[in-house]
Amino acid sequence: MRPDDQLTDADRRHLSRCVELAREAVETGNRPFGSVLVGADGTVLKEDHNRTGSGDPTAHPELALARWAALNLSREARAAATIYTSGEHCPMCAAAHGWCGIGRAVFATSTPQLVAWLAEFGAPALPYKPITLRELLPDLEVVGPFGEFTDEIKALHERVHRH
């Protein structure tokens, strides 16, 4: 875990927006994940939240942003971009991130944290082997998790998963 004092102001701002998007996801009947795609100059290019409540279990924001980047950005712009997200990418989203060549990922909370929370809440386990972004994309610059976001994101997951 990277110490919170190494979190840049820009990272904190974008991760805070991801948490807002995760809250919006929960309020609209979805799982609590939000993501922001940021260009090399710090410009927010696209943002989204989880939309799995629609019935599409693949409607993850990281996947949507990777698809958007592939269709709308040059290879160079993708390599210089960052996806910020409230929770570490699942393997599906990580693979899309890698295939699209997005240069960096920053997440607020980790896959191991999510696995522990689901068990604590009595929720079903993830439907895949929990693999971290660093394991799946070892050459990608990966930053996170950050403790300052843990309580709020855990509370959002608890709202959705507590039995």
Side-chain angles (χ1 to χ4, degrees), residues 52-123:
T52 56
S54 69
D56 178 358
T58 68
H60 297 192
E62 303 90 347
L63 181 60
L65 295 183
R67 285 179 176 155
W68 184 90
L71 296 172
N72 293 282
L73 300 177
S74 69
R75 178 174 286 128
E76 295 78 18
R78 291 192 308 268
T82 300
I83 288 185
Y84 289 87
T85 190
S86 59
E88 186 173 9
H89 296 30
C90 73
M92 173 185 70
C93 294
H97 189 130
W99 279 113
C100 292
I102 298 166
R104 184 171 178 250
V106 180
F107 58 88
T109 60
S110 71
T111 296
Q113 288 174 301
L114 177 59
V115 168
W117 297 338
L118 293 175
E120 178 183 334
F121 304 149

Side-chain angles (χ1 to χ4, degrees), residues 5 15 25 54 99 101 138 141:
D5 63 354
L15 287 174
S54 69
W99 279 113
E141 181 184 352

Side-chain angles (χ1 to χ4, degrees), residues 7 10-22 31-38 46-50 60-65 82-90 93-94 97 104-111 113 133 140 142-146 149 153 157:
L7 187 63
D11 290 340
R12 183 174 282 108
R13 182 174 62 254
H14 295 307
L15 287 174
S16 293
R17 178 62 182 145
C18 291
V19 174
E20 290 173 12
L21 289 164
R31 295 187 63 196
F33 294 94
S35 302
V36 177
L37 178 66
V38 177
K46 186 85 172 155
E47 59 182 37
D48 202 359
H49 63 72
N50 185 286
H60 297 192
E62 303 90 347
L63 181 60
L65 295 183
T82 300
I83 288 185
Y84 289 87
T85 190
S86 59
E88 186 173 9
H89 296 30
C90 73
C93 294
H97 189 130
R104 184 171 178 250
V106 180
F107 58 88
T109 60
S110 71
T111 296
Q113 288 174 301
L133 195 49
L140 179 69
V142 177
V143 183
F146 297 100
F149 299 99
I153 294 172
H157 281 281

